[in-house]
Amino acid sequence: MEHLFPLQIERFLQFGIVLFWTIAYMMIIYKGFRDRTCGMPLAALCANITWEFLFSVVMPFNPLQQIVTLLFFLLDCIILFQFLYYSKRLYPTWPIKTIVLSLLVIALLLHYGIATEFHDHEGKYSAFGINVMMSILFIKMLLKQDLHGQSIYIAYSKMVGTLCASIWCYSLFPNSLLLNMMYILTFILDVVYILLVYNKSIKIIHRSTMYKQF
């Protein structure tokens, strides 16, 4: 582990991670309740919540990280509740609960396996793998259900929080080709997501304006 950047910059980046991801979580929860939906793709949610459980309860690697990760875990629990509650209108209860439980078990086992196999006690490889997957799935969700449960504020907060994490992790592990590839891929996907959300927002405003004219 290296430290390319001064400690003050690393602390600033850590603060950015916590701030912007907390904003993203709160906005996802708010928009979910307002639109009566879940604002996070199920696979990404299951991967997220099990990573946070593993590295806040089972394998924490420092006290401050444990507190922050536990906070994110509790926020993800609210989002999981939203999915289970609002999905009752769309799917039969028994199959969807079985699917969710299966995804949670699979994700937890994979996170633990990656951390053990690659001696990755910080969970960095699985964390950025989740970010790549999440960025892809948010785009897919947007194309499927428009802005239902989503907003430009979520898109920007998610991108800035992840960018802070990428720069901070680069300072610690600058020679990891895999991590560097995931930083870049996630950033590109997040920019695409923002552009798509902005485009959808403009179209909705335009349709609303046209409707009022008539």
Side-chain angles (χ1 to χ4, degrees), residues 19-198:
L19 175 64
F20 287 102
W21 262 108
T22 301
I23 292 172
Y25 275 122
M26 297 302 293
M27 289 299 302
I28 289 170
I29 292 169
Y30 167 76
K31 196 74 162 57
F33 281 125
R34 198 183 77 171
D35 294 351
R36 301 181 64 81
T37 189
C38 176
M40 187 179 291
L42 178 60
L45 175 59
C46 291
N48 234 18
I49 200 169
T50 48
W51 189 96
E52 290 153 355
F53 173 78
L54 182 65
F55 291 101
S56 65
V57 178
V58 182
M59 300 171 61
F61 48 89
N62 72 60
L64 179 60
Q65 167 272 327
Q66 185 177 21
I67 294 170
V68 172
T69 307
L70 184 59
L71 169 64
F72 289 165
F73 171 74
L74 295 175
L75 292 173
D76 263 328
C77 285
I78 299 174
I79 299 173
L80 181 60
F81 165 78
Q82 289 179 322
F83 177 84
L84 293 172
Y85 184 77
Y86 292 123
S87 65
K88 291 188 295 186
R89 298 173 297 144
L90 305 174
Y91 311 103
T93 303
W94 181 84
I96 197 63
K97 287 185 177 179
T98 304
I99 291 170
V100 170
L101 181 60
S102 300
L103 287 174
L104 289 172
V105 171
I106 291 169
L108 183 61
L109 290 174
L110 288 174
H111 292 325
Y112 180 76
I114 292 171
T116 304
E117 182 77 15
F118 296 101
H119 307 287
D120 181 24
H121 302 296
E122 304 90 1
K124 56 187 178 294
Y125 290 106
S126 52
F128 283 100
I130 292 171
N131 273 299
V132 173
M133 178 182 70
M134 185 180 297
S135 296
I136 294 171
L137 293 178
F138 263 90
I139 292 173
K140 180 183 177 183
M141 186 171 69
L142 179 67
L143 296 175
K144 183 179 179 181
Q145 61 188 48
D146 285 337
L147 289 177
H148 200 56
Q150 300 173 81
S151 73
I152 193 69
Y153 304 108
I154 294 171
Y156 274 118
S157 299
K158 187 169 74 70
M159 184 194 74
V160 176
T162 305
L163 183 60
C164 288
S166 298
I167 297 172
W168 175 50
C169 201
Y170 175 76
S171 175
L172 302 178
F173 307 98
N175 298 318
S176 172
L177 175 62
L178 178 58
L179 287 173
N180 288 333
M181 290 172 63
M182 289 193 286
Y183 306 150
I184 295 169
L185 284 172
T186 304
F187 179 72
I188 292 172
L189 290 166
D190 284 347
V191 170
V192 170
Y193 178 63
I194 287 173
L195 293 174
L196 289 172
V197 171
Y198 180 77

